[in-house]
Amino acid sequence: MKQEQQKSEESMTFNSTVALIGVFGGLIWSLVGYLAFYLNFTRVGPALALMPWALGEWKHGWLGQLIGIVFISLVSIGAAFIYRLIFAKINKTWPGMLFGLVLWILIFGLFNPMFPELKPLTQLDLNTIITNICLYLIYGLFIGYSISYEYQERNTQDGEAIQS
């Protein structure tokens, strides 16, 4: 039984592990984001990710939030690979938090015009700003520390080299 578990762990490549970390990071933290939206801590739910592309009022209801969670989980794979390229070798907490903060700045600052229903940063209430900054920081921490930890583990076990 132990040998089967080791074989399944060894057969998973680092890239597939990064993809899984991305999916679960997006899933977990967008679900927490939906909970914060549902409890009125923030005015921005996971359906925000659909706003530039989806038409209709359905995106404002629970179905839009659910599809937004799935969409964020898939897009999070790309974010995980970007983190892998930039910070994977640093096994600390600050690069992940920095990564999350940069994502927040990109989405709420730079890409704000892409989201027609998202108010400019200066018009958002303080609860929304603080809640979303915290969510992005924790998301970045989850993605970052998970990828860096896995990178370090694979480098120390049997001298395995990770391809860039």
Side-chain angles (χ1 to χ4, degrees):
M1 184 73 166
K2 185 90 168 166
Q3 289 176 341
E4 290 177 22
Q5 185 178 4
Q6 281 182 325
K7 286 181 184 177
S8 68
E9 287 176 4
E10 290 173 4
S11 65
M12 208 166 157
T13 66
F14 185 60
N15 285 337
S16 58
T17 303
V18 169
L20 276 175
I21 290 169
V23 167
F24 283 106
L27 179 66
I28 292 166
W29 296 110
S30 61
L31 282 169
V32 172
Y34 177 63
L35 181 63
F37 173 74
Y38 184 77
L39 295 173
N40 293 319
F41 287 108
T42 178
R43 299 195 191 288
V44 179
L48 172 72
L50 303 175
M51 296 302 168
W53 299 284
L55 299 175
E57 288 300 310
W58 63 270
K59 64 186 174 189
H60 296 289
W62 66 270
L63 182 61
Q65 300 297 335
L66 181 66
I67 293 173
I69 289 168
V70 171
F71 182 75
I72 290 170
S73 297
L74 295 175
V75 169
S76 186
I77 295 171
F81 277 102
I82 290 170
Y83 185 90
R84 178 194 186 270
L85 290 172
I86 300 171
F87 293 120
K89 295 180 182 179
I90 306 171
N91 197 14
K92 304 263 187 236
T93 55
W94 65 265
M97 294 174 76
L98 177 66
F99 184 72
L101 184 63
V102 167
L103 286 177
W104 182 84
I105 290 169
L106 286 173
I107 291 170
F108 282 82
L110 187 65
F111 296 145
N112 189 303
M114 284 179 49
F115 304 102
E117 296 177 23
L118 180 61
K119 292 179 183 176
L121 198 53
T122 57
Q123 294 177 6
L124 289 174
D125 62 292
L126 195 57
N127 284 340
T128 297
I129 293 171
I130 291 172
T131 301
N132 282 295
I133 287 174
C134 290
L135 283 171
Y136 277 79
L137 285 173
I138 295 171
Y139 166 77
L141 181 63
F142 178 88
I143 294 288
Y145 204 72
S146 299
I147 291 171
S148 295
Y149 177 80
E150 185 67 27
Y151 181 87
Q152 297 299 324
E153 283 295 307
R154 287 179 185 250
N155 272 341
T156 57
Q157 289 177 353
D158 302 326
E160 180 182 340
I162 298 184
Q163 298 174 356
S164 297

XYZ file of all heavy atoms in Angstrom, residues 12 22 25-26 32 40 43 45 52 65-66 69 74 91 99-100 111 123 130 138-139 155:
169
model
N 3.191 12.253 -10.438
C 2.638 13.580 -10.660
C 3.788 14.569 -10.867
O 4.632 14.746 -10.011
C 1.808 13.989 -9.449
C 0.726 14.924 -9.764
S -0.390 14.968 -8.360
C -1.091 16.533 -8.663
N -3.261 25.721 -8.231
C -4.009 26.836 -8.804
C -5.508 26.621 -8.751
O -6.257 27.510 -8.343
N -6.617 26.663 -5.066
C -6.507 28.024 -4.543
C -7.652 28.891 -5.032
O -8.289 29.605 -4.256
N -7.932 28.823 -6.326
C -9.044 29.594 -6.882
C -10.378 29.159 -6.323
O -11.236 29.986 -5.994
N -14.664 31.445 -0.337
C -14.597 32.352 0.810
C -15.034 33.754 0.381
O -15.751 34.447 1.115
C -13.171 32.363 1.425
C -13.042 33.445 2.483
C -12.831 31.005 2.009
N -22.327 40.266 3.136
C -22.235 41.715 2.940
C -20.963 42.349 3.504
O -20.966 43.513 3.896
C -23.466 42.433 3.504
C -24.715 42.092 2.738
O -24.699 42.017 1.510
N -25.792 41.862 3.463
N -19.018 44.176 -1.600
C -20.047 44.333 -2.636
C -19.642 43.630 -3.932
O -20.351 43.714 -4.925
C -20.285 45.816 -2.911
C -20.772 46.568 -1.696
C -21.345 47.911 -2.090
N -21.599 48.780 -0.960
C -22.579 48.609 -0.077
N -23.377 47.592 -0.174
N -22.748 49.465 0.917
N -18.623 40.037 -5.654
C -18.580 38.589 -5.541
C -17.788 37.972 -6.678
O -17.275 38.675 -7.564
N -16.971 41.198 -17.861
C -16.591 41.668 -19.202
C -17.149 40.807 -20.343
O -17.241 41.275 -21.465
C -15.062 41.590 -19.200
C -14.660 41.512 -17.785
C -15.795 40.864 -17.067
N -22.650 33.654 -9.617
C -21.598 33.489 -8.607
C -20.940 32.112 -8.728
O -19.713 31.989 -8.655
C -22.168 33.686 -7.194
C -22.779 35.043 -6.945
C -21.791 36.193 -7.057
O -20.596 36.043 -6.875
N -22.310 37.380 -7.368
N -21.758 31.087 -8.950
C -21.233 29.718 -9.088
C -20.340 29.589 -10.322
O -19.229 29.044 -10.248
C -22.388 28.716 -9.169
C -22.000 27.248 -9.288
C -21.296 26.783 -8.020
C -23.220 26.403 -9.556
N -17.093 31.297 -9.685
C -16.179 30.483 -8.873
C -15.446 29.482 -9.762
O -14.222 29.321 -9.650
C -16.954 29.770 -7.743
C -17.391 30.791 -6.696
C -16.119 28.649 -7.112
C -18.389 30.264 -5.687
N -10.350 28.127 -12.806
C -9.614 27.817 -14.038
C -8.561 28.886 -14.347
O -7.431 28.569 -14.720
C -10.582 27.661 -15.205
C -11.547 26.477 -15.094
C -12.546 26.489 -16.240
C -10.791 25.162 -15.040
N 11.138 30.201 -0.534
C 10.236 29.499 0.380
C 9.927 30.372 1.600
O 10.280 30.054 2.722
C 10.855 28.168 0.804
C 9.840 27.226 1.394
O 8.646 27.437 1.276
N 10.317 26.183 2.051
N 2.461 38.807 -4.274
C 1.788 38.356 -5.485
C 0.288 38.641 -5.397
O -0.319 39.164 -6.339
C 2.049 36.858 -5.688
C 1.493 36.299 -6.951
C 2.058 36.596 -8.180
C 0.408 35.433 -6.922
C 1.551 36.061 -9.356
C -0.100 34.897 -8.086
C 0.465 35.211 -9.304
N -0.327 38.315 -4.253
C -1.750 38.585 -4.056
C -2.067 40.068 -4.104
O -3.062 40.490 -4.699
N -7.071 47.112 -14.307
C -8.092 46.498 -15.176
C -9.508 46.909 -14.819
O -10.472 46.375 -15.369
C -7.988 44.971 -15.156
C -6.700 44.438 -15.703
C -6.130 43.300 -15.166
C -6.039 45.065 -16.746
C -4.940 42.794 -15.655
C -4.851 44.575 -17.247
C -4.295 43.431 -16.699
N -14.487 55.093 -5.252
C -15.912 55.082 -4.928
C -16.346 53.809 -4.199
O -17.505 53.675 -3.831
C -16.735 55.238 -6.203
C -16.565 56.578 -6.848
C -17.333 56.690 -8.149
O -18.090 55.805 -8.526
N -17.141 57.792 -8.858
N -11.047 46.576 2.031
C -10.276 45.811 3.011
C -10.529 44.314 2.867
O -9.588 43.509 2.889
C -10.589 46.296 4.443
C -10.020 47.698 4.630
C -10.013 45.342 5.485
C -10.417 48.361 5.922
N -4.445 36.490 1.126
C -4.495 35.095 1.572
C -4.457 34.152 0.372
O -3.824 33.091 0.427
C -5.736 34.859 2.450
C -5.621 35.672 3.727
C -5.889 33.380 2.788
C -6.862 35.683 4.568
N -5.104 34.521 -0.715
C -5.026 33.717 -1.939
C -3.575 33.627 -2.421
O -3.075 32.543 -2.717
C -5.914 34.323 -3.029
C -5.641 33.781 -4.402
C -6.115 32.533 -4.775
C -4.893 34.509 -5.320
C -5.846 32.020 -6.034
C -4.623 34.003 -6.571
C -5.107 32.765 -6.928
O -4.834 32.262 -8.166
N 13.127 19.378 -4.606
C 14.567 19.582 -4.750
C 15.363 18.830 -3.694
O 16.492 18.423 -3.943
C 14.923 21.064 -4.678
C 14.855 21.705 -6.044
O 14.880 21.035 -7.070
N 14.773 23.017 -6.052
